[in-house]
Amino acid sequence: MRHAIVGRDEVFDRAWQRLGRPGPVLVEGPAGIGKSELWRTLVAQAAQAGWLVLSCAPTEAEAELPYAALADLLRPLADRVAALPEPQRTAAEVVLLAGDVHEAVDVRVVGAATRSLLEAAAQDGHPATLVAVDDAPWLDRPSERALRYALRRVAGLSVLVSRRRGRGDPESVPLGLDDGRDGSRLDRVELPPLDVGALHHVLRDQLGVTLTRPMLVRVAREAEGNPLLTIEVVRAMQRLPRHPSPGDDLPVAASMHHLLADVVAGLSPASRDAVRLAALLTVPTLVDLTAAGVSATALDAPEEAGLIVVTPTGVRFTHPVHAAAVRAGIPPGVRRRLHRRLADLVADPDERARHLALCTTEPDPAVADTLAAAAERWHSRGAPDLAADLHDRAGQLTPADDQVRLGRRRLAAARCRLDSGDLPAARQAAEAVAADFPGDVRAESLLLRAVVAWSSGEAGQAAVEFGTRALAAARPDSALAGRIHAHLAVFNDHTEPARAHAEAAAALLDGRDGEHDLLAAALVLLFFQEVRLGRAPRTDLLERALTLEGDEPAWLASTVPAIWWKSMDDAERARSRLHRMLGRAEARGDEPLQHELLTHLGEAELLAGRWDEAERHIAAARDLGDQLGSGLVAETWLAALLDAHRGRLDEAARVAESGLRLAEDLDDDWCRRIHQQLAGFVALSAGRMAEAAAAYTALAATIDARGLVEPLSMRFEPDWIEACVGAGELDRAGAVLERLNARHRRLPRPWTTLGAARARVLLDSATGQDPGPALDALAAARDAVPPDVLPLDRARCLFVAGMAHRRSRRKLPARQALETAVAEFSAIGAAAFAERARAELARVGGRAPTPRHLTPTEERVARLAARGRTNRAIADELFVSPKTVEANLARVYRKLGISTRAELGAAMTRADSQA
């Protein structure tokens, strides 16, 4: 049986009903209207119904206490923390104060741990799981960020949030509950004023007072139906020498704060100090209040006045408005003296730092040191935004002549802003530090500014420009210069400057303690940029970097090894690294990195012919990119490239066109390159050869302008040659073939092997040369590449062979090659290429191959397999090895134009009927 709330039965029933439906419920109204009472009653009802309840009720005083609210909310799940992956387990223990901090906790990991715990809670068998937050605007910032992150990503939760909202308050909804990303709708429950009858019951229950009907109507009108204000007005009436007559004014001030200020002013000095000290403490305990000189009797009058409730261990205010009103009424000088008194007696170092920050007005090195130490602790606990405020305050209290400490503290504040994800504040802070300090502090702040530019995708070469200025400010032979060089190797899109920066970074960081991550990144980048310049790959650099990074990839160049393996068609190794990194990024809640890795996985699976997997990764990257506001350029391009491979050419063409316009608007060469390649591939797939040739010619010019001798991810020359041959540009086709052969000689890969062989056949056939030798080389190249590596390229080799055979009037090999090409294209979903191969097959004429075109052994193997025999059974019956059976079946599939055993029976029957 639930506790009845006076005058709120209808509101309660509506809110309870809405909690049972998808979507969060927001209870709101002005201070004192009864939001918290309704919230507590709903929470109690949920617990009584067997729901798992995770709740917190932060106060204004706790808003600067990192993870105070989140700890309360997650405490019922403490027994699940041990099952979390390592970084999340440590973060959750820090939040719950259940473990020591040995290294800084990333705020994103706290969000990921919160998400994991809530996901587990949502699936644990309770009828429902309720996440309930009272007075959400008082959530401390770290708790708010973690809850916002988790609630947007966990389905199946009931969410109840209350907030105070009066006239002129912002419209923004707490915790982003109105973004509706999961399709759910926010239900808002606004508490109306209580009527006279309900207020009568409130006064009788709370104060034991019964007013006459006319007086009650007057009080209700003056208090606008607000129960708390009604109670305070009646208390003020009780303090009057006589009861107001009908013609007297009621003791109603302009606001609740003014009304309560009169109550505080009426207290004795000892009681007034007591209630003020309680309001200034984050958690007012009797131990701290006693240490501050508060006697037990001093608390009696505030308790009798209804301001506070005294418990065996501490003091709590009867309503948050009471505490806020007390704080607001403390004169500034008195407030500083009280903070000073509390700073001298509280035992908790963070609470002491808070009071020191609020009571110190002049530079004080000792206080500044205390605040800086507290800021480091808060940063290590995953509260960088609060740490930034403390670092700033420490800087303000650092003597002006101590430029070293002052610069370091302001720089630390700027770094905390970046770590908290507040890029605009980090940008402003870094620029201010760079303007005010010389030397290493200036260099580090400019490097930080460059990182902000890179992270936020600022237009142009902002990251390179700030990084270059940072390098000029650093000592040339320092480790700091090495770190700046390493970053510039990433920021710079021009290959030779990027290589030079990577080389300088490797030289400056080698042998220095604590720089293994950046040294590994520098070595990877040096290896990568040398390859892009056309130099022989120094794989020893890559192997050394991989050894240095161990189990933790060097973050600055973590995806480069996978990009290298992907470009070498080593899909399995690329896939393995990307999945391993994705698992770590998910455990850490690093969504920008997850987004990047999903995009790389999508491209890797596209090249490997696993297009369903590619589609899944690309869709996940697009969803995450939409949440992150990435602009969706890479994901949209990759999705369009997959569409083009599957024959959805109209959609892909629209993306290519809009992408090229965007590249011009932004003057972004990377965006230009990928969309030029897409435009060329779409035109080639559609048979518009002149258009494709023009697109690839423009792409080559863009690449060459950047000094990219070996553009690893751009494998376009075979398509360019095919387009040139189709457009009759044979001289250009020959020149492009020389370009492709040069790439193959520098760095042989399966795609260059197949592409060069395919291009040679096309060119020989188009120029009237005997394509026989080139066809033999093409067959050998195809046989050298395993079927699960580049299945599309292997099928295109058959397509080109079929065309060459048809033009040489060799109908049988033409038909065999083209039918197999159609089967292989169809198997991977390459609809446009399959259609082109069918059209080419229709030009061959003649009849389909029959079993008479099979050797006797092939025919016997085929007929036994068509009857459902296994390879082992066939081998036993024909007295051959299973491998011989496999080889014969492969030739049978190729000759009959099929790709699976399931098609064999129908193909043999069809061929017999044509014999």
Side-chain angles (χ1 to χ4, degrees), residues 494-518:
H494 290 276
T495 313
E496 174 51 36
R499 185 211 63 78
H501 283 303
E503 185 174 55
L508 288 169
L509 298 175
D510 201 357
R512 294 183 186 266
D513 293 336
E515 302 291 355
H516 287 173
D517 282 354
L518 278 178

Side-chain angles (χ1 to χ4, degrees), residues 415-731:
R415 285 187 176 131
C416 287
R417 302 289 181 203
L418 176 62
D419 289 345
S420 71
D422 190 348
L423 296 183
R427 180 185 300 118
Q428 183 178 4
E431 290 176 358
V433 175
D436 292 346
F437 295 90
D440 283 357
V441 171
R442 173 176 167 79
E444 291 190 52
S445 62
L446 287 169
L447 176 58
L448 180 63
R449 178 65 182 87
V451 171
V452 171
W454 179 258
S455 301
S456 59
E458 291 183 32
Q461 293 291 303
V464 174
E465 291 166 7
F466 283 110
T468 302
R469 288 170 57 190
L471 194 60
R475 288 177 288 108
D477 59 345
S478 64
L480 174 57
R483 292 197 296 273
I484 297 169
H485 276 299
H487 283 79
L488 282 168
V490 175
F491 299 159
N492 208 310
D493 196 35
H494 290 276
T495 313
E496 174 51 36
R499 185 211 63 78
H501 283 303
E503 185 174 55
L508 288 169
L509 298 175
D510 201 357
R512 294 183 186 266
D513 293 336
E515 302 291 355
H516 287 173
D517 282 354
L518 278 178
L519 175 59
L523 293 171
V524 168
L525 292 166
L526 178 58
F527 161 79
F528 186 62
Q529 299 298 354
E530 285 186 351
V531 171
R532 297 177 86 201
L533 284 166
R535 301 184 186 181
R538 290 200 283 163
T539 54
D540 58 305
L541 293 176
L542 177 61
E543 294 305 322
R544 185 185 173 203
L546 294 174
T547 300
L548 280 171
E549 71 177 27
D551 293 332
E552 191 67 35
W555 68 271
L556 197 59
S558 59
T559 58
V560 171
I563 294 171
W564 163 251
W565 293 321
K566 185 170 55 175
S567 73
M568 295 299 291
D569 297 319
D570 190 348
E572 184 52 42
R573 201 170 181 188
R575 187 182 296 126
S576 175
R577 182 177 177 90
L578 291 170
H579 276 296
R580 179 163 57 91
M581 290 179 61
L582 182 61
R584 288 178 177 272
E586 289 171 345
R588 295 176 185 276
D590 189 343
E591 290 191 331
L593 181 56
Q594 291 176 50
H595 172 257
E596 181 182 359
L597 295 169
L598 287 166
T599 305
H600 281 302
L601 277 166
E603 186 177 17
E605 300 298 12
L606 175 59
L607 293 172
R610 304 194 337 171
W611 292 355
D612 288 342
E613 284 294 299
E615 182 177 34
R616 183 171 64 82
H617 292 311
I618 295 167
R622 294 184 79 170
D623 181 62
L624 199 50
D626 185 47
Q627 295 180 40
L628 296 171
S630 71
L632 302 179
V633 175
E635 312 93 296
T636 302
W637 159 73
L638 198 53
L641 190 59
L642 179 58
D643 280 340
H645 278 75
R646 286 174 160 170
R648 302 166 187 162
L649 301 182
D650 291 342
E651 296 92 330
R654 283 193 289 271
V655 172
E657 184 179 348
S658 62
L660 288 171
R661 284 198 302 269
L662 179 64
E664 291 306 313
D665 292 343
L666 300 178
D667 191 23
D668 186 320
D669 263 0
W670 169 78
C671 183
R672 186 176 293 113
R673 290 197 300 267
I674 62 174
H675 288 100
Q676 284 171 335
Q677 183 186 28
L678 176 61
F681 187 74
V682 169
L684 178 72
S685 300
R688 301 192 300 270
M689 297 304 182
E691 181 184 333
Y696 286 126
T697 300
L699 171 61
T702 303
I703 289 172
D704 294 345
R706 282 286 172 185
L708 280 171
V709 179
E710 177 47 64
L712 286 167
S713 62
M714 291 285 168
R715 42 180 78 190
F716 64 99
E717 286 90 350
D719 291 348
W720 189 7
I721 294 165
E722 184 176 338
C724 288
V725 169
E729 301 176 19
L730 299 185
D731 289 343

